[in-house]
Amino acid sequence: MFTHSIRRRLVIGCALALTLAACGRSADTPEAGGQATTTVSDGPATGDLTVWAMGTEGENLPKLMEQFQQANPGAKVTVTPIPWDAAHNKFTTAITAQSLPDAAMVGSTWMGEFADLGALDPTPQGFDNSAFFPGALDTTKVKGVQYGVPWYVETRLVYYRKDLAKKAGITTPPSDWAGLKAMAKAMKDKAGAKCGINLQPGGTGSWQTVMPFAWSAGAEITADDQKSFTLDTPAMQEGLQYFQSFFTDKVACTDLPPNQTEAQFVNGTAPMFISGPWMAGSVAKAGGEAMKPNIGVFQLPKNKTATSFVGGSNFVVFKNSKNKDSAWKLVKWLSEEKTQAAWYKLSTDLPAVKSAWQDPSIANDPLLPVFGKQLEDAKAPPSIVNWEQVAAAFDTEIEKMVKANQSPADTAKAIQTKASQIGTGGS
């Protein structure tokens, strides 16, 4: 699941996509779900391949492509780095103009939209889906059809200050909801923190912190057919109630300055927070060498389940590629265990292939194996066209619940109403 939360969306309907073959799926797309009936040919990749990738991935990928070209001397890969803030518009404009690359890194929240526009090629036979973390694999599926494969992943854990936890009398990280609340309270009452835990109330991206609690209570975002929302249920209200209780019990704060999580962790203002693997390096940089041994992480606590959020990016092949077979060979190579481990060493992006986590660079890290365990129980929103609009409405109502004491029942009802008005989208 793609985690950058602010997007510029360009709504493109069938009327604007007249040059596309269709505003939906081609006849060779699987009807009942799964991979396509096509297969990737034997032998090395050949010919020219164009690839788009965003952010630091776009900057680092050419180094990895050198290895691919050594293994496939008849192929030449040209990587175009794209800034994140320009990527969505660049993709949608290219879909309309039929000027897409052969393959690309695609944020998982865009999968539903791009598949609905008929831009993505269904994943062919020959990929071992059991090799991927299940939550990450689910982000490649739109209405039961798989497009591309997971490329790299991230999930969320609870970060905590080991030294302050010891001061608070906590020697073993909690494993259930009551334990997490008790630990946050002890961090405030016994360890002197202003806020026992930083839950980043309101604003963009709150749903990524709230939904794991709702999932753990048994909630779902949509019905199984992904055509209707199920956001106003007892399970959703239970997750919202638990999240809100951190604020009503005064163990989380509503007035923490934004974008200062690392500093607040280091100075003890908020010695707990929920975030992804990139924060380990950020906190260590902010706190220096003395801070590193005091950075601890543990899996999200359990209610019915202990489900976290899964993010990351997928790698896809576009339907209009003129070198589709070689493009899928590239994607398959990117999915190999050795390639995934090599990519982690280049980028620090965590592998989507489970076996790559046995590489010493990951297995011997003091924190990363915990992320690997959490990825076994991690979910993303369904790949629906309008998810980002629904997420923005979700965030607005969470802010009302936290800062204006809107009830969890009213919050769930409001989220459901707004989501139903927006709709799942798609043809």
Side-chain angles (χ1 to χ4, degrees), residues 198 259-268 270 273 278-279 281-287:
N198 179 2
N259 304 316
Q260 296 182 26
T261 302
E262 297 93 334
Q264 292 155 0
F265 184 84
V266 170
N267 66 28
F273 63 89
W278 61 88
M279 286 298 288
S282 296
V283 169
K285 182 178 180 180

Side-chain angles (χ1 to χ4, degrees), residues 7-332:
R7 298 280 178 262
R8 294 177 60 201
R9 292 183 58 86
L10 179 62
V11 179
I12 299 180
C14 292
L16 292 179
L18 293 176
T19 55
L20 287 172
C23 201
R25 296 172 185 79
S26 65
D28 61 2
T29 298
E31 291 293 332
Q35 295 171 325
T37 56
T38 56
T39 58
V40 180
S41 69
D42 295 330
T46 58
D48 292 340
L49 289 170
T50 54
V51 174
W52 290 358
M54 286 76 83
T56 56
E57 283 74 23
E59 297 167 8
N60 288 319
L61 192 55
K63 302 171 189 174
L64 194 67
M65 290 302 94
E66 291 175 8
Q67 299 177 31
F68 176 75
Q69 290 172 154
Q70 288 172 6
N72 298 267
K76 179 183 178 182
V77 183
T78 302
V79 178
T80 300
I82 304 171
W84 271 117
D85 59 1
H88 185 268
N89 281 358
K90 186 173 179 67
F91 273 113
T92 51
T93 300
I95 289 171
T96 304
Q98 296 191 77
S99 58
L100 289 159
D102 295 292
M105 162 192 176
V106 169
S108 57
T109 57
W110 297 347
M111 295 292 289
E113 178 183 9
F114 294 175
D116 188 71
L117 289 171
L120 304 181
D121 196 49
T123 306
Q125 298 291 317
F127 285 83
D128 179 11
N129 282 342
S130 66
F132 302 106
F133 287 105
L137 181 66
D138 285 345
T139 70
T140 68
K141 297 177 181 178
V142 182
K143 297 180 181 178
V145 177
Q146 183 181 349
Y147 298 95
V149 298
W151 184 31
Y152 67 85
V153 293
E154 57 92 350
T155 190
R156 310 298 163 83
L157 297 179
V158 183
Y159 281 77
Y160 73 103
R161 281 274 298 269
K162 289 183 176 180
D163 53 341
L164 295 184
K166 184 177 181 181
K167 185 177 180 181
I170 305 293
T171 56
T172 302
S175 59
D176 58 18
W177 278 15
L180 179 62
K181 175 73 73 62
M183 181 175 181
K185 189 174 188 303
M187 285 291 211
K188 181 178 179 181
D189 295 344
K190 298 179 181 179
K194 176 185 176 183
C195 312
I197 186 169
N198 179 2
L199 292 177
Q200 300 176 327
T204 303
S206 290
W207 69 268
Q208 295 176 13
T209 302
V210 175
M211 270 312 301
F213 295 127
W215 281 323
S216 293
E220 294 293 344
I221 290 174
T222 62
D224 290 342
D225 62 6
Q226 296 187 6
K227 294 181 180 179
S228 60
F229 291 101
T230 55
L231 292 162
D232 186 9
T233 61
M236 177 65 72
Q237 292 181 31
E238 184 179 0
L240 294 174
Q241 175 65 51
Y242 179 68
F243 184 81
Q244 185 189 49
S245 70
F246 283 88
F247 299 94
T248 56
D249 292 351
K250 308 297 184 185
V251 294
C253 303
T254 60
D255 60 349
L256 284 175
N259 304 316
Q260 296 182 26
T261 302
E262 297 93 334
Q264 292 155 0
F265 184 84
V266 170
N267 66 28
T269 298
M272 296 172 66
F273 63 89
I274 297 173
S275 193
W278 61 88
M279 286 298 288
S282 296
V283 169
K285 182 178 180 180
E289 288 297 320
M291 180 55 58
K292 287 184 180 180
N294 287 317
I295 303 171
V297 293
F298 59 89
Q299 290 177 247
L300 261 63
K302 185 177 182 179
N303 183 8
K304 291 182 177 65
T305 63
T307 307
S308 189
F309 166 85
V310 61
S313 281
N314 301 326
F315 226 92
V316 305
V317 170
F318 290 103
K319 190 173 290 184
N320 288 339
S321 167
K322 293 181 174 62
N323 196 3
K324 199 180 296 184
D325 186 65
S326 287
W328 279 117
K329 288 176 180 177
L330 169 61
V331 175
K332 197 166 187 178

Side-chain angles (χ1 to χ4, degrees), residues 299-381:
Q299 290 177 247
L300 261 63
K302 185 177 182 179
N303 183 8
K304 291 182 177 65
T305 63
T307 307
S308 189
F309 166 85
V310 61
S313 281
N314 301 326
F315 226 92
V316 305
V317 170
F318 290 103
K319 190 173 290 184
N320 288 339
S321 167
K322 293 181 174 62
N323 196 3
K324 199 180 296 184
D325 186 65
S326 287
W328 279 117
K329 288 176 180 177
L330 169 61
V331 175
K332 197 166 187 178
W333 181 81
L334 290 170
S335 304
E336 293 177 2
E337 178 183 330
K338 290 182 179 179
T339 308
Q340 289 261 298
W343 178 241
Y344 167 73
K345 292 167 187 174
L346 272 175
S347 67
T348 71
D349 289 337
L350 295 174
V353 173
K354 292 182 282 186
S355 59
W357 287 67
Q358 301 305 313
D359 188 89
S361 62
I362 298 174
N364 295 338
D365 186 274
L367 303 179
L368 290 181
V370 187
F371 286 94
K373 291 178 182 177
Q374 183 66 75
L375 280 161
E376 294 290 353
D377 187 357
K379 297 178 69 170

